[in-house]
Amino acid sequence: MDARSELGTTVQALVQAGKGILAADESGPTIAKRFKAIGVESTEANRRAYRSTIFATPGLGEHISGIIFYDETLNQRADDGTPLPQLVARQGIVPGIKVDAGKIPLALAPGDEITEGLDGLAKRLDGYRWARASPSGARCITCPTRCRRASR
């Protein structure tokens, strides 16, 4: 299948009536905050167990057409050894990946952030394709503080 046909097939799978896309792309620091709030240590094993529980939910594919994964998740496996992207694909869910590399402080703009990740993007995309994940999300944070203040 050529790239155009593959993209069309992926889009059609994602936009099914009555289904949504699950954003399960919490970064390490974000998921650590959520776990801390419920008294769970943010270890790789706990993050894997949490994600596996969600992704193995019977009937999930009846309601979810795509899941945006965090980079760590692509290499994780369910308890039975099934790679998590394959686990969701079995339910007809398109595994996707957030392709940006997170937020960093914007130089010379205290309090502002910018999205990181254009450097090395082509190499990451090749790896994601190997893992059978579709690039599905990239943030672009560029609104400086003065812009936010002006919009209030």
Side-chain angles (χ1 to χ4, degrees), residues 52-138:
S52 293
T53 300
I54 294 169
F55 302 156
T57 300
L60 186 66
E62 296 170 26
H63 308 282
I64 300 295
S65 61
I67 296 178
I68 304 171
F69 282 30
Y70 181 59
D71 190 76
E72 174 183 67
T73 316
L74 287 181
N75 300 309
Q76 292 178 322
R77 296 177 176 270
D79 292 338
D80 68 359
T82 304
L84 294 183
Q86 186 178 346
L87 182 69
V88 301
R90 285 182 185 163
Q91 295 195 56
I93 299 170
V94 176
I97 181 70
K98 178 183 79 167
V99 298
D100 70 81
K103 302 179 293 183
I104 58 172
L106 180 60
L108 305 175
D112 290 336
E113 298 176 313
I114 191 164
T115 305
E116 183 175 45
L118 287 179
D119 294 345
L121 179 60
K123 185 176 181 180
R124 288 196 314 277
L125 290 175
D126 283 343
Y128 298 147
R129 185 172 179 79
W130 175 84
R132 300 216 183 270
S134 302
S136 59

Side-chain angles (χ1 to χ4, degrees), residues 1-16 65 92-94 134:
M1 182 181 304
D2 69 343
R4 182 180 294 263
S5 297
E6 187 177 352
L7 179 60
T9 299
T10 300
V11 168
Q12 290 304 310
L14 288 171
V15 298
Q16 296 177 55
S65 61
I93 299 170
V94 176
S134 302

